[in-house]
Amino acid sequence: MLTYPSGRLSYGIQLPVQSQSTLYAEPWEATAGPAELLAVARAADRHGFAYLACCDHVAIPRRLAGAMSTVWYDPVATLSFLAAATERAALLSHVAVVGLRHPLATAKQYATLDHLSGGRLILGVGAGHVREEFEALGADFAARGAVLDETVDALKAALGPDEFPVWQGARFSFSGLGQRPRPAQRPRPPLWVGGSSPAAVRRAALRGDGWLPQGDPREALAAKIERIRRLRGEARLDGQPFTVGALAEPLYVGRATWDVGRRTLTGAPGAIAESLRAYQALGVTQVQLRFRARSADELTDQMELYAQQVAPLLD
């Protein structure tokens, strides 16, 4: 099972182009497509990024389209496409809204992805927030938290080594149904739980192999990480591997000649590394990076600068 233990700070990237919310998409992404996506993924693989991440939405209602856009690539299709073009980087769904689908269907897709990629899947899951999406697919929006709890447990069974997995729960049950290929990872691929609400943090601590916070500022992370540790200790899970994540502020390595925004970490590599080491001090073991850039070429240049000049200063 892929893990990112304490002792060093691994770094991954949420890919551009594949999701284009106005909260984070750069203008150049609007006219970009598979070629740019592929170039960024290959650069991440080449420069030691721990994972490539892809979001999940099936359909965006008109009332949210202005802010969220309707550009959301399918994560299984996208990560499978990129798996064939990369060699080392893990493939992360950040996050799959697994309550929209039966867990056996989800397991079939992601087990195949792990098999085809040689064991590079990290299944990140979350509750979702778009009511119309749930209603259109016949999923229970009001009970999505409880559905996710059971789905995570069912997925642990369905993604395990058994060809005929067994699960009996309140909403789902299956037995005597074989699924091959099995995932390459043993005993199964890791499941990271996304979200920063009290329920999501508890779900991550007690059911997940890792936590993906949802944009928490630094000052909010310490208390939530401590709660995860306490909950896992009380449940006697603290001896098992667990990956603690964080979403870093936007980055720009070097002196920018354009306005990169007041929240962006920018400047000399040493200053950026010092700022990121603060996450490690909190107990974070993997940090997701986002770079400011005006083109795919500038983005891949930034990724190279980070890998060559900043990453070595984190160990």
Side-chain angles (χ1 to χ4, degrees), residues 1-4 79 90-93 106-125 151-162 179 181-193 207-210 241 243:
M1 181 187 293
L2 289 167
T3 60
Y4 299 94
L79 293 174
L91 307 162
L92 169 64
S93 58
T106 298
K108 183 65 173 181
Q109 292 176 301
Y110 284 101
T112 303
L113 173 55
D114 194 62
H115 175 80
L116 290 173
S117 67
R120 290 195 279 148
L121 170 68
I122 302 171
L123 180 53
V125 301
T151 299
V152 169
D153 294 342
L155 283 170
K156 288 180 180 179
L159 289 170
D162 295 338
Q179 285 191 330
R182 305 308 301 154
Q185 294 183 72
R186 292 291 186 268
R188 56 172 174 77
L191 281 122
W192 292 358
V193 176
R207 286 184 157 88
D209 304 304
T243 298

Side-chain angles (χ1 to χ4, degrees), residues 9 83 114 157 184 201 218 234 264 274 277 310 314:
L9 192 63
D114 194 62
V201 171
R218 292 184 188 217
E234 292 170 354
T264 299
E274 181 180 4
R277 280 197 297 269
V310 179
L314 296 177

Side-chain angles (χ1 to χ4, degrees), residues 145-180:
V147 171
L148 179 55
D149 285 345
E150 183 177 338
T151 299
V152 169
D153 294 342
L155 283 170
K156 288 180 180 179
L159 289 170
D162 295 338
E163 180 182 353
F164 293 87
V166 177
W167 172 255
Q168 179 67 53
R171 294 171 174 83
F172 309 110
S173 63
F174 45 85
S175 64
L177 296 169
Q179 285 191 330
R180 294 181 68 185

Side-chain angles (χ1 to χ4, degrees), residues 117-312:
S117 67
R120 290 195 279 148
L121 170 68
I122 302 171
L123 180 53
V125 301
H129 66 95
V130 180
R131 178 183 294 274
E132 293 93 331
E133 195 172 31
F134 278 72
E135 291 173 346
L137 296 174
D140 191 342
F141 180 79
R144 65 194 184 280
V147 171
L148 179 55
D149 285 345
E150 183 177 338
T151 299
V152 169
D153 294 342
L155 283 170
K156 288 180 180 179
L159 289 170
D162 295 338
E163 180 182 353
F164 293 87
V166 177
W167 172 255
Q168 179 67 53
R171 294 171 174 83
F172 309 110
S173 63
F174 45 85
S175 64
L177 296 169
Q179 285 191 330
R180 294 181 68 185
R182 305 308 301 154
Q185 294 183 72
R186 292 291 186 268
R188 56 172 174 77
L191 281 122
W192 292 358
V193 176
S196 294
S197 69
V201 171
R202 181 178 181 83
R203 183 178 298 118
L206 299 182
R207 286 184 157 88
D209 304 304
W211 177 48
L212 293 164
Q214 190 65 37
D216 291 80
R218 292 184 188 217
E219 56 270 20
L221 284 175
K224 294 179 179 180
I225 293 172
E226 177 55 34
R227 182 169 179 245
I228 287 173
R229 288 174 176 157
R230 177 174 55 80
L231 288 169
R232 290 182 65 79
E234 292 170 354
R236 299 184 178 181
L237 298 169
D238 46 336
Q240 300 179 17
F242 190 85
T243 298
V244 177
L247 304 182
E249 297 86 350
L251 301 181
Y252 191 90
V253 183
R255 185 179 297 277
T257 59
W258 56 287
D259 182 9
V260 294
R262 63 180 181 82
R263 290 188 61 251
T264 299
L265 297 177
T266 186
I272 294 174
E274 181 180 4
S275 181
L276 293 176
R277 280 197 297 269
Y279 284 109
Q280 190 172 15
L282 292 172
V284 171
T285 56
Q286 70 85 8
V287 62
Q288 187 170 119
L289 305 179
R290 181 169 69 85
F291 298 90
R292 295 300 318 275
R294 295 163 293 180
S295 67
D297 286 342
E298 185 171 27
L299 174 54
T300 56
D301 287 346
Q302 280 288 302
M303 294 165 67
E304 182 176 8
L305 283 171
Y306 178 90
Q308 293 180 351
Q309 301 182 17
V310 179

Side-chain angles (χ1 to χ4, degrees), residues 37-56:
L37 185 63
L38 190 59
V40 174
R42 283 175 166 159
D45 197 50
R46 187 166 62 248
H47 295 308
F49 282 68
Y51 61 76
L52 315 169
C54 185
C55 298
D56 180 27

